[in-house]
Amino acid sequence: MEEEKPWALVSEVGGENGYLEELADIPKQHFQIICYREFLQNPVLHGPKIQALLIWKYCPAAEPSLLRLLPSLKVVASAGVGIDHLDVPFINSLGVKVANTPRVVSNATADFAMGLLLASARKILEGHHIAVDPKTTHIPQSLMGVEVTGSTLGIIGMGEIGYKIAQRSRGFEMKILYHNRTRRSTEDEQAVGAIYCESLDYLLRRSDFVMIAVKLTSDTTGLIGHRELSLMKPTATLVNISRGQVVDQNALVKALQLATIRAAALDVTHPEPLPRDHPLLSLPNVLITPHIGISTYNTASRMVEKMVENALAGVKGLPIPNEVKLK
Amino acid sequence: MEKDKPWALLSEEGVKQAFLEKLADIMEPHFQIITSREFLQNPLLHGPKIQAMFVWSCCPAAEHLLLNLLPSLKVVANGGAGIDHLDVPFITSRGVKVTNTPGVVSDATADIAMGLLLASARRIVEGHQIAVDAKTTYLAQNLMGVDVTGSTLGIIGMGQIGYKIAKRSRGFDMKILYHNRNRRSIEDEQAVEATFCESLGDLLRRADFVMLAVNLTPNTTGLIGHRELSLMKPTATLVNISRGLLVDQDALVKALQSGMIRAAALDVTHPEPLPRDHPLLGLPNVLITPHVGMNTCATVRGIVQKMVENALAAVNGLPIPNEVKFE
């Protein structure tokens, strides 16, 4: 019955950071939903009812000031695999579990990574601009890109997404190098022809495309800075589909301006979106997309379904399929 | 010796001067180059010396008037695989050989095909425009694309390029259908898990992405018209990397405007470039690139090397690697 459905707090439906209308139906099947704005109108009334916090695109922010108002909270369920926006130890200390949605995001993100790589390598954005420009009278002879087939792809972070990128790049006969905290099994490596690089520097020196597919942690913040960019080939392309903060953006701007590297393709920046006067926005050799790595209806729906599944399990005191446990 | 090198004609319209300079090191060891402009200053003097003609981007046009001025011509050597702009029966009837450069273009063209497919499916160009727009203050939720992983790719034309596209799409777990004049061998089909569709209509009905990879011939002109577009799914994307004339562009415009198909991604149009007031340029669901399928330095060098090889063989009366014979 309607009254028995537990209450969940969400950001908003529609609007700047809200759920698409179609996706909002999914949590509504299992939860009574209250939006953040309505909650704030009477937190003392609404707060104690709420057992689940459903986070979409980082909102609502699971900060102490909010969590303090939710004494009955059992679970913070985030849509997406990244959890760098959540202070997991703190949330757990309140007796609240945390869940994310790994795996369901992987295919769409790996597809997008390949799309960014190809679009940058072959100058698809510039090509389109020329093709539709009112002033274009001739097909340009000099719009040259770089070869993808047979080139070297260096994957930093060989988790599920990194591995799926490797699988996709095989069809282009790319040579695959990878750098990861832990080495993959021999079977895994052989299946995609990937060569482990214990040294990140080694990977950076040899790659034509450097693909960032790591989690954002204190170890990976600023992983790619001035030094790393200077090790890259001047013909190389940096592709980032993980988090903006993995890259030192000031160093990246300089590297692109000085042609230390050829180009960058970024689905993620810090912040998102960038300030409108940020130099990255006007560099000709930068492709930026607005964090749409998971943006297909199917993937977004599955993410929300998983998030709801995790939240329900948390509310019922059952094992949570994708609980984030810190070691 | 310098004087012993045969003369070859090359057009400035097809090859901008800067471009020509980059490739001079490949041509000049073997040929003395004369440009169209120089030739036309004194065709009676220069004409009889010329034994080879290099055709790039359809220039020079190997037509009656020009060929009459080249009594010693032995070969028309085209850069690129497509020869629909050459009247092969006419040229060969004059005792002049025609050559092209298949093979060497295939990887770069297959890469661009995948790049266009992914860029269209995941709305990369629109994403960039939003990401850099001066008015963007937040990242909207509604830039949803369609899934590539697990979708159905229908390849029309399973020659070398079509087959390489099939190989690349396997990494994305795409289901591959293909339609071709001739069926490929079982081994070829199994290697990429491609299913032959004897009926083009069958392929069109089932495909999420329809990829045109056929030669332009009288049989394939207008292959994709209103009827074919109406058979496609409303969620499907048309990708064309062959020739603009394969598609009835007026029918395509209507199909895109009415939502009969989801989107189109075109590296080729007719003409190139399109008139600046052409409706295709203004449609939000069209991605157009200015015929960049072969545009990487490595591929262009490879093409020029092949052109020179073919032309030298013809001039020296030796077997020609890539002779185009009229059937």
Side-chain angles (χ1 to χ4, degrees), chain A residues 4 37 76 81 107 125 127 132 141 160 173 197 221 236 239 319:
Chain A
E4 292 176 16
R37 188 169 304 148
V76 170
V81 62
N107 285 328
L125 175 70
V132 303
Q141 292 298 319
E160 190 164 304
E173 291 165 42
C197 296
T221 300
V239 184

Side-chain angles (χ1 to χ4, degrees), chain B residues 184-261:
Chain B
R184 281 233 173 201
S185 70
I186 306 282
E187 295 78 29
D188 279 355
E189 286 183 355
Q190 282 176 354
V192 295
E193 293 181 65
T195 302
F196 181 63
C197 290
E198 191 150 1
S199 146
L200 177 60
D202 187 30
L203 179 151
L204 293 169
R205 281 189 188 91
R206 292 157 67 183
D208 299 303
F209 297 91
V210 174
M211 176 71 67
L212 291 175
V214 276
N215 281 330
L216 179 64
T217 67
N219 286 336
T220 60
T221 301
L223 181 69
I224 304 296
H226 172 78
R227 181 184 159 277
E228 289 70 29
L229 293 161
S230 70
L231 292 175
M232 284 171 65
K233 295 183 185 182
T235 50
T237 307
L238 179 71
V239 185
N240 188 5
I241 49 93
S242 325
R243 285 293 183 266
L245 282 167
L246 290 169
V247 177
D248 173 346
Q249 278 177 179
D250 294 336
L252 178 61
V253 169
K254 290 199 180 67
L256 289 162
Q257 285 171 334
S258 64
M260 185 183 280
I261 67 172

Side-chain angles (χ1 to χ4, degrees), chain B residues 6-10 27 30-33 47-56 59-63 66-67 70-79 83 86-88 90-101 304-325:
Chain B
W7 284 84
L9 179 65
L10 190 56
M27 291 182 166
H30 306 285
F31 287 95
Q32 298 187 80
I33 301 292
K49 298 185 296 197
I50 293 168
Q51 298 191 59
M53 191 163 108
F54 289 124
V55 176
W56 190 272
C59 297
E63 284 163 349
L66 177 58
L67 296 186
L70 305 172
S72 310
L73 190 69
K74 292 200 169 110
V75 60
V76 171
N78 190 60
I83 43 99
L86 297 172
D87 186 343
V88 178
F90 169 69
I91 298 168
T92 53
S93 72
R94 301 175 65 107
V96 177
K97 306 238 185 240
V98 178
T99 69
N100 65 347
T101 62
V304 176
Q305 267 155 3
K306 280 270 168 220
M307 284 167 80
V308 167
E309 201 181 308
N310 285 326
L312 265 179
V315 162
N316 293 322
L318 296 168
I320 302 171
N322 306 117
E323 187 176 351
V324 178
K325 294 191 177 137

Side-chain angles (χ1 to χ4, degrees), chain A:
Chain A
M1 284 192 303
E2 194 65 39
E3 295 86 354
E4 292 176 16
K5 282 197 238 174
W7 283 86
L9 177 62
V10 303
S11 55
E12 54 186 328
V13 178
E16 288 191 14
N17 289 309
Y19 294 76
L20 294 178
E21 300 281 349
E22 305 92 314
L23 297 179
D25 286 341
I26 301 170
K28 284 178 186 173
Q29 286 165 26
H30 302 282
F31 287 94
Q32 297 188 79
I33 300 295
I34 180 166
C35 294
Y36 192 62
R37 188 169 304 148
E38 197 188 331
F39 165 78
L40 284 179
Q41 282 163 5
N42 198 337
V44 169
L45 173 66
H46 298 303
K49 298 185 296 195
I50 292 165
Q51 298 191 60
L53 177 62
L54 306 181
I55 300 184
W56 176 261
K57 299 272 177 181
Y58 313 127
C59 298
E63 286 174 0
S65 51
L66 172 60
L67 298 176
R68 199 175 299 133
L69 297 170
L70 307 173
S72 311
L73 190 68
K74 294 202 170 104
V75 59
V76 170
S78 187
V81 62
I83 43 118
D84 48 282
H85 57 294
L86 298 172
D87 185 343
V88 180
F90 171 71
I91 298 169
N92 286 162
S93 74
L94 302 175
V96 177
K97 298 195 192 274
V98 177
N100 64 348
T101 63
R103 286 179 291 286
V104 67
V105 301
S106 306
N107 285 328
T109 310
D111 289 350
F112 199 80
M114 294 304 294
L116 280 181
L117 185 156
L118 285 159
S120 175
R122 299 302 299 275
K123 300 194 170 174
I124 289 179
L125 175 70
E126 285 151 271
H128 180 78
H129 285 152
I130 291 170
V132 303
D133 190 317
K135 298 188 294 311
T136 291
T137 55
H138 286 92
I139 295 294
Q141 292 298 319
S142 51
L143 190 61
M144 290 289 162
V146 292
E147 205 78 34
V148 171
T149 296
S151 65
T152 299
L153 172 63
I155 303 175
I156 306 176
M158 196 69 141
E160 190 164 304
I161 293 172
Y163 195 74
K164 282 178 182 267
I165 293 169
Q167 284 172 321
R168 281 149 182 70
S169 63
R170 289 297 290 146
F172 296 81
E173 291 165 42
M174 295 176 93
K175 302 174 190 49
I176 302 163
L177 307 175
Y178 79 100
H179 178 76
N180 204 38
R181 260 176 323 181
T182 53
R183 190 169 172 169
R184 283 234 173 201
S185 70
T186 308
E187 294 78 29
D188 280 354
E189 288 182 353
Q190 283 176 355
V192 295
I195 297 169
Y196 180 62
C197 296
E198 191 150 359
S199 152
L200 176 59
D201 289 7
Y202 182 93
L203 179 151
L204 292 168
R205 285 195 177 91
R206 279 173 170 67
S207 297
D208 300 302
F209 297 91
V210 174
M211 175 70 69
I212 305 175
V214 284
K215 277 207 277 269
L216 178 65
T217 65
S218 50
D219 288 333
T220 60
T221 300
L223 181 68
I224 305 296
H226 170 78
R227 186 183 155 277
E228 289 70 29
L229 293 162
S230 67
L231 292 174
M232 285 171 64
K233 297 183 185 182
T235 50
T237 306
L238 182 72
V239 184
N240 188 5
I241 49 93
S242 44
R243 284 292 181 267
Q245 283 148 304
V246 175
V247 176
D248 173 346
Q249 277 178 181
N250 293 333
L252 178 61
V253 169
K254 289 198 180 70
L256 289 163
Q257 286 170 334
L258 298 173
T260 305
I261 67 172
R262 184 196 74 94
L266 316 168
D267 189 41
V268 288
T269 58
H270 182 71
E272 290 173 2
L274 288 168
R276 298 295 88 191
D277 58 356
H278 198 284
L280 277 175
L281 299 186
S282 52
L283 290 172
N285 47 353
V286 177
L287 173 60
I288 307 181
T289 46
H291 204 153
I292 50 175
I294 55 90
S295 295
T296 74
Y297 276 116
N298 283 340
T299 300
S301 305
R302 289 206 297 274
M303 279 166 65
V304 175
E305 278 164 8
K306 276 283 168 205
M307 175 180 67
V308 167
E309 193 185 318
N310 287 327
L312 266 179
V315 162
K316 291 178 180 168
L318 296 168
I320 297 176
N322 305 118
E323 187 177 350
V324 176
K325 290 181 182 148
L326 287 188
K327 292 147 203 172

Side-chain angles (χ1 to χ4, degrees), chain B:
Chain B
M1 282 194 307
E2 195 65 38
K3 282 185 272 291
D4 290 334
K5 281 195 278 183
W7 284 84
L9 179 65
L10 190 56
S11 157
E12 292 95 341
E13 292 134 331
V15 186
K16 286 273 169 6
Q17 196 56 34
F19 189 75
L20 181 56
E21 279 158 17
K22 272 188 237 164
L23 303 172
D25 63 308
I26 304 175
M27 291 182 166
E28 278 171 13
H30 306 285
F31 287 95
Q32 298 187 80
I33 301 292
I34 180 169
T35 65
S36 293
R37 188 172 303 146
E38 288 168 326
F39 166 75
L40 289 171
Q41 280 161 5
N42 198 339
L44 289 178
L45 173 66
H46 299 302
K49 298 185 296 197
I50 293 168
Q51 298 191 59
M53 191 163 108
F54 289 124
V55 176
W56 190 272
S57 291
C58 307
C59 297
E63 284 163 349
H64 189 80
L65 284 173
L66 177 58
L67 296 186
N68 282 345
L69 295 169
L70 305 172
S72 310
L73 190 69
K74 292 200 169 110
V75 60
V76 171
N78 190 60
I83 43 99
D84 45 282
H85 55 289
L86 297 172
D87 186 343
V88 178
F90 169 69
I91 298 168
T92 53
S93 72
R94 301 175 65 107
V96 177
K97 306 238 185 240
V98 178
T99 69
N100 65 347
T101 62
V104 66
V105 301
S106 307
D107 285 331
T109 310
D111 289 352
I112 252 287
M114 294 304 294
L116 284 175
L117 185 154
L118 284 158
S120 175
R122 299 302 301 274
R123 303 178 72 180
I124 288 179
V125 169
E126 286 167 276
H128 178 85
Q129 285 160 351
I130 290 169
V132 305
D133 191 311
K135 298 187 294 311
T136 291
T137 55
Y138 65 94
L139 298 185
Q141 295 306 306
N142 53 2
L143 194 62
M144 289 286 178
V146 292
D147 287 296
V148 171
T149 294
S151 64
T152 299
L153 172 63
I155 304 176
I156 303 176
M158 196 69 141
Q160 196 169 115
I161 293 171
Y163 196 74
K164 283 181 182 255
I165 293 169
K167 276 199 202 164
R168 282 149 181 71
S169 62
R170 283 302 298 142
F172 296 80
D173 276 340
M174 294 176 93
K175 301 172 191 47
I176 302 163
L177 308 175
Y178 78 100
H179 178 75
N180 203 38
R181 259 178 323 181
N182 308 306
R183 190 169 173 167
R184 281 233 173 201
S185 70
I186 306 282
E187 295 78 29
D188 279 355
E189 286 183 355
Q190 282 176 354
V192 295
E193 293 181 65
T195 302
F196 181 63
C197 290
E198 191 150 1
S199 146
L200 177 60
D202 187 30
L203 179 151
L204 293 169
R205 281 189 188 91
R206 292 157 67 183
D208 299 303
F209 297 91
V210 174
M211 176 71 67
L212 291 175
V214 276
N215 281 330
L216 179 64
T217 67
N219 286 336
T220 60
T221 301
L223 181 69
I224 304 296
H226 172 78
R227 181 184 159 277
E228 289 70 29
L229 293 161
S230 70
L231 292 175
M232 284 171 65
K233 295 183 185 182
T235 50
T237 307
L238 179 71
V239 185
N240 188 5
I241 49 93
S242 325
R243 285 293 183 266
L245 282 167
L246 290 169
V247 177
D248 173 346
Q249 278 177 179
D250 294 336
L252 178 61
V253 169
K254 290 199 180 67
L256 289 162
Q257 285 171 334
S258 64
M260 185 183 280
I261 67 172
R262 185 196 74 94
L266 316 169
D267 189 42
V268 288
T269 59
H270 183 76
E272 288 173 6
L274 289 168
R276 298 295 88 190
D277 58 355
H278 198 284
L280 276 175
L281 300 186
L283 291 173
N285 48 353
V286 177
L287 173 60
I288 306 181
T289 45
H291 206 151
V292 296
M294 316 183 306
N295 286 22
T296 73
C297 289
T299 296
V300 165
R301 288 187 71 83
I303 293 170
V304 176
Q305 267 155 3
K306 280 270 168 220
M307 284 167 80
V308 167
E309 201 181 308
N310 285 326
L312 265 179
V315 162
N316 293 322
L318 296 168
I320 302 171
N322 306 117
E323 187 176 351
V324 178
K325 294 191 177 137
F326 177 56
E327 284 142 36

